[in-house]
Amino acid sequence: MDSIITDVKDYCFFCGRIEDCDHHFVFGSGKRPLAEEDGLKAPICNRCHTIGKVDERIHDNTMAEKLSKMFGQAMWERQKVSEGYSLEDARNTFMKRYGKSYI
């Protein structure tokens, strides 16, 4: 599935550099394949993803990882609400699918 986060494919979602890979907004404990299936991903450069300074990248940055998961869940819920779910049903469905709520 394409991204439900952005339509942009060639540039880092965070800084605008040329993309190197995808960042999955919900990850860990086997959740990356679900995020891939649900389109919870965006293009990202390696610097913003894993190789920049810890406070300038997503992974190994506790706050950025938490915010990534919160944002991913919010976008997933937004998609479900646009499909006719109530917000409560969308949240409950997310929790069943991903094992917890990050919001």
Side-chain angles (χ1 to χ4, degrees), residues 1-6 22-27 31-43 68-79 94 97-98 102:
M1 169 179 237
D2 288 330
S3 174
I4 66 168
I5 307 294
T6 182
D22 285 333
H23 170 65
H24 294 81
F25 283 82
V26 180
F27 51 89
K31 294 178 178 112
R32 185 174 181 227
L34 295 176
E36 178 74 28
E37 186 178 314
D38 293 342
L40 292 176
K41 62 183 180 176
S68 174
K69 291 173 181 178
M70 292 170 71
F71 182 75
Q73 179 177 344
M75 294 301 288
W76 192 91
E77 290 176 357
R78 178 177 172 245
Q79 177 75 21
F94 181 91
R97 183 157 175 81
Y98 287 93
Y102 298 102

Side-chain angles (χ1 to χ4, degrees), residues 22-87:
D22 285 333
H23 170 65
H24 294 81
F25 283 82
V26 180
F27 51 89
S29 302
K31 294 178 178 112
R32 185 174 181 227
L34 295 176
E36 178 74 28
E37 186 178 314
D38 293 342
L40 292 176
K41 62 183 180 176
I44 191 169
C45 71
N46 285 331
R47 183 173 167 196
C48 290
H49 200 216
T50 57
I51 67 171
K53 295 179 191 174
V54 172
D55 62 344
E56 296 175 353
R57 67 181 187 221
I58 301 288
H59 292 289
D60 302 317
N61 177 330
T62 303
M63 183 59 71
E65 287 186 356
K66 287 179 182 179
L67 289 170
S68 174
K69 291 173 181 178
M70 292 170 71
F71 182 75
Q73 179 177 344
M75 294 301 288
W76 192 91
E77 290 176 357
R78 178 177 172 245
Q79 177 75 21
K80 292 300 179 193
V81 167
S82 76
E83 294 171 3
Y85 285 62
S86 70
L87 180 56

